Each structure stands twice: as C-alpha cells, then as structure tokens.
Amino acid sequence: MTYVVTVDTCIPEGTPEMDPLQRAGAVALIEGGFDSVRSVEGPDGVEVELLDSIVAVHPGGALLKVVVDAPALELAEESVQALVDELLERTELLVDWTIERCEVELHEDLARKSLDAADGPDAPPDDPAARRARHIEDRAAEDPEGLPDTEAKATAARARMMDLAGELRSFSPAVFGAPDEDEDESGAGDESGAGDEACTGTRTGSGTRTGTGTGPGEEPDRQERAVSAESARLAAGALVHATDILVDGLFQDMQVLTQEDATVAECEGPLWHLERLPDRYALRYDANFARRFLVTVIAMTTRFTDGSFQRLSCVAEELALRFLLSETITTLELHGLLDDDVAAALDSFAANVYEDMDHEWLYDGTLHGTDETAPGAALGAAPMSFRSWFTPFDPGRYVHPSATDEAESAAR
C-alpha cells in the first residue's frame, strides 16, 4: 500500500536561520540522500520501497514528503523516520538537525477507490469539493460514532482553526481588514509587517514591481469595511488548515499523473486540483510540472507560516494562492463557517497579498496568447507565458531551487 509520510525537520535550537545559499545547499544534501536510496529495511526485515520524495527547505529547517510502499501505516512511519535519522546523521552539515514530526497524513487509497469506481454507478463527482464530501461521508458510514453531529463538528473545526491562526506568522490582522489595535487580541499573526509590504507595487511588462496594481481590466478590490478580530483570526486559521488539504491533494494529483504517465488533458483518473489550472496549457501539465507546482505551494506557504514572506515570487505562486484561497473557502463552507465577515477578511487578505490580478488573463480564452506577445507587454502585463511561470519576477524574489527553470532543464 502506498503512503505519504510528512517529516518536519528543524535546525538546532539557538542557531541563526539559514540564508538562501544555505537553504539551496540543504536541498542538495537532502535530495542527494534520498536519491541514493531505493528501499528501507523495516522491523523484522520487511522491505519498504521508496517511491518518491519532495524536499522544501525554509530558514528554520525542511519539510519532507516521502512516498513509500509499505505493508502497514506504522511500518511506513517507522521506516521513513529511520531513513531520515540516518540521512541526517551521516551528513556532517545536517547532523545536529532534529525531527519534530513524522507521520502519515494521506495515502493513495482514496485516489485508488475513485479510479476503481470511475466507470460504475459509484463514479466520483467531477467537482473536487463534492468528491471530498463523499469521502467524508464514507468515513462517517464506516465509523458513525466517530463523527459528531453537524453543529458539534462545526464548533470543533472552528476551534481548531482558531488555534492554528497563530501559525500564520507573516501576516498581521490588519492584512485581513481588522483594526490595528486588535492585533494582540486576534493573534492572527505577528508584528513583522510582511503583509503590509505585500500590498505595495505591481508588475510592469519587464517583470518588476512598481506603482499601484492593475489587473485584467481593473485594480483588485480593496476592502473598506472593518473586519472583526475574531473573523480575521478564523480566516487566518482556515488558511493554515487548508494548506495541508491543498498539499495532500496536489500529492494525489502528482501520483495519478505519474502512474498514468499522462498530462492533465490526457489523464483518465480523478484529479483534486490541477484540472483547475488554465485550460490552454493542459497538455503541458505532466508529473514533472505537478512536482514543481507542489514544491512552489510548499515553499510559498512555508514563508507564510515562518514569518519570512514579503511578496509573491512568480506566476506559479499567484496561481498557488488562488488555489489556497479556493480550498480555504471550500473548507469553511463545508463546516458552515463562511459568513460575510470571514469572507470579507479573506477578500482583504487576497487584495493585500496580490500585487495585481494579471494572472486572471490566463483563464480568459478571448485573450489567448496576449500573455506571450508584445501587445501583452504594451497593456502592462508581466510575462505570463507557460515557460515563465516559475521565473522570479525580479532577482529579489525567492523561488525554491527544485521548482526553478534550471531544475526543469536539468530534469530533461
């Protein structure tokens, strides 16, 4: 059975955070370690096969996603932890790193179940949110006493999201439209001010950011109504909660594309998210693209939570944020928690973090090709052709080494 094991590793306590050069070095060391391993010997000599791995390094450590084939969940976790322990121990520059978490978050059963039912009366719905709701219903049927009633479930989900709000360290409540004086009470972020910087400037045709934002026809809607501190906190926590769901779904998509050796346009199996990318490039969304996009999502959301976020770095991050906001709204709606005030908080967050909405042109079929031509630049749009999605808008923006154009060239 295939399992995805999540491993959080941290640099030694009290040491300075890694700079970009050190992070690039850590990526190379960890990926090199995984590349040298094909299988792990678990307890009692049981062999656990290593199928795939993704490494996202941030200033305070690294988030690892390791895909393994193992007879049981516990064996998958134990084997991956032993593997990462050994990898860190035998790498001099990483020997003092620690493992904070190692656990299975999602495995392939749900995708396999959908594939098996694809042609039958139980075929899964096309809409990802509807498919997710069906899986939740299936779990409730298997364990009817394991899920509380709707109201209690919503209360528990709300409490969980409120607890998670403090993890969104790069954004103060003001980014969500809450009054500044409510910052300490809301706990939706720290005082880094990163969110305030995120709303300044826009891209020009050259790819740099200057002036005020212009999107495909108009400037992003800035929220004028004041949002309550409580709603700002709930919106922040919902974004953190939705991050895990988004990452797991993208992992599923990558696995399906890999197994079918297909692009999104050719894929016969159900996909959670990648079908919602602009249709014009559907024949180019293959497993390698899915990996790069997933790494981009992890790198972006890591900056959201570790306090280092300044601005979105590339077109792929703009699309990743679109996906994250959509998943957040779906999650809140699923639990009946999306009222007008929380919706306004998310709108304010989007308006402050997006510098412009030029990426919306990618979804407009009437403007097909405008993003790749001189007329597009004349309209003030930055380069948005497919080949530039993972290219930083300017030299000061951070794109994860595993997602850069150099990484793409090396993979070919």
Side-chain angles (χ1 to χ4, degrees):
M1 187 175 293
T2 302
Y3 296 94
V4 179
V5 184
T6 299
V7 186
D8 280 331
T9 62
C10 296
I11 60 177
E13 188 174 353
T15 59
E17 292 187 337
M18 294 184 289
D19 59 33
L21 182 60
Q22 290 171 320
R23 296 200 293 270
V27 169
L29 290 172
I30 298 173
E31 288 185 341
F34 281 127
D35 288 343
S36 66
V37 178
R38 290 293 175 266
S39 63
V40 184
E41 185 174 320
D44 300 323
V46 177
E47 185 176 273
V48 174
E49 184 180 359
L50 179 63
L51 302 178
D52 202 358
S53 62
I54 288 184
V55 179
V57 173
H58 53 86
L63 177 65
L64 318 177
K65 294 281 187 176
V66 186
V67 184
V68 295
D69 187 19
L73 182 151
E74 294 79 6
L75 187 59
E77 291 180 341
E78 292 174 11
S79 299
V80 170
Q81 177 146 0
L83 171 61
V84 176
D85 268 331
E86 182 180 350
L87 189 156
L88 297 178
E89 185 176 345
R90 73 187 186 193
T91 307
E92 183 178 355
L93 296 177
L94 308 177
V95 70
D96 293 326
W97 284 34
T98 58
I99 297 177
E100 299 296 314
R101 176 172 65 111
C102 179
E103 62 184 13
V104 170
E105 288 191 345
L106 189 70
H107 54 77
E108 194 66 15
D109 281 354
L110 298 182
R112 179 56 53 197
K113 182 177 180 181
S114 295
L115 285 170
D116 291 343
D119 297 323
D122 295 326
D126 292 333
D127 180 61
R131 287 204 300 271
R132 184 176 299 107
R134 173 175 290 190
H135 292 316
I136 291 172
E137 291 172 1
D138 290 345
R139 289 197 296 272
E142 293 170 2
D143 183 15
E145 297 182 357
L147 292 176
D149 60 63
T150 302
E151 185 176 351
K153 184 178 177 183
T155 300
R158 187 179 189 281
R160 183 167 61 253
M161 292 177 193
M162 296 292 276
D163 287 341
L164 289 171
E167 296 187 18
L168 204 69
R169 297 180 180 89
S170 285
F171 306 103
S172 70
V175 177
F176 292 89
D180 288 335
E181 58 268 24
D182 291 337
E183 181 164 345
D184 289 339
E185 177 186 344
S186 74
D190 62 15
E191 298 182 2
S192 64
D196 295 330
E197 292 185 27
C199 65
T200 61
T202 187
R203 288 197 316 279
T204 64
S206 64
T208 58
R209 301 269 185 173
T210 58
T212 56
T214 57
E218 60 183 32
E219 182 175 336
D221 230 0
R222 303 280 167 168
Q223 292 299 311
E224 297 182 358
R225 61 174 288 181
V227 172
S228 71
E230 187 176 22
S231 292
R233 185 179 180 89
L234 179 57
L239 282 164
V240 177
H241 179 77
T243 295
D244 282 343
I245 301 174
L246 175 61
V247 168
D248 285 340
L250 288 170
F251 253 99
Q252 291 277 15
D253 287 356
M254 184 184 71
Q255 288 297 102
V256 171
L257 293 178
T258 299
Q259 290 166 0
E260 295 193 14
D261 191 21
T263 65
V264 166
E266 303 160 337
C267 184
E268 296 180 0
L271 297 171
W272 293 96
H273 300 294
L274 294 181
E275 289 176 319
R276 295 186 286 117
L277 286 167
D279 289 339
R280 67 180 68 177
Y281 297 121
L283 282 169
R284 302 178 74 173
Y285 306 143
D286 56 11
N288 185 55
F289 169 85
R291 169 187 283 272
R292 297 174 74 198
F293 190 72
L294 174 58
V295 168
T296 297
V297 170
I298 293 173
M300 179 189 75
T301 53
T302 296
R303 302 200 322 274
F304 283 4
T305 56
D306 70 9
S308 66
F309 179 81
Q310 295 297 322
R311 297 168 295 176
L312 296 175
S313 296
C314 58
V315 172
E317 283 201 353
E318 293 183 328
L319 294 170
L321 180 56
R322 177 190 179 99
F323 278 28
L324 178 60
L325 288 166
S326 175
E327 188 63 52
T328 301
I329 290 170
T330 297
T331 302
L332 287 166
E333 287 179 335
L334 183 64
H335 296 291
L337 299 174
L338 186 67
D339 59 24
D340 290 344
D341 209 33
V342 176
L346 289 172
D347 286 345
S348 179
F349 174 83
N352 280 317
V353 177
Y354 276 123
E355 297 172 52
D356 61 57
M357 299 302 290
D358 288 352
H359 68 277
E360 293 284 354
W361 273 325
L362 294 169
Y363 288 91
D364 190 338
T366 65
L367 297 175
H368 181 64
T370 301
D371 53 296
E372 306 191 35
T373 61
L379 290 171
M384 287 184 291
S385 62
F386 182 79
R387 63 180 176 273
S388 69
W389 281 14
F390 298 94
T391 302
F393 291 134
D394 58 59
R397 313 273 178 140
Y398 175 76
V399 173
H400 193 278
S402 295
T404 59
D405 297 325
E406 290 77 8
E408 164 71 359
S409 300
R412 290 180 174 175

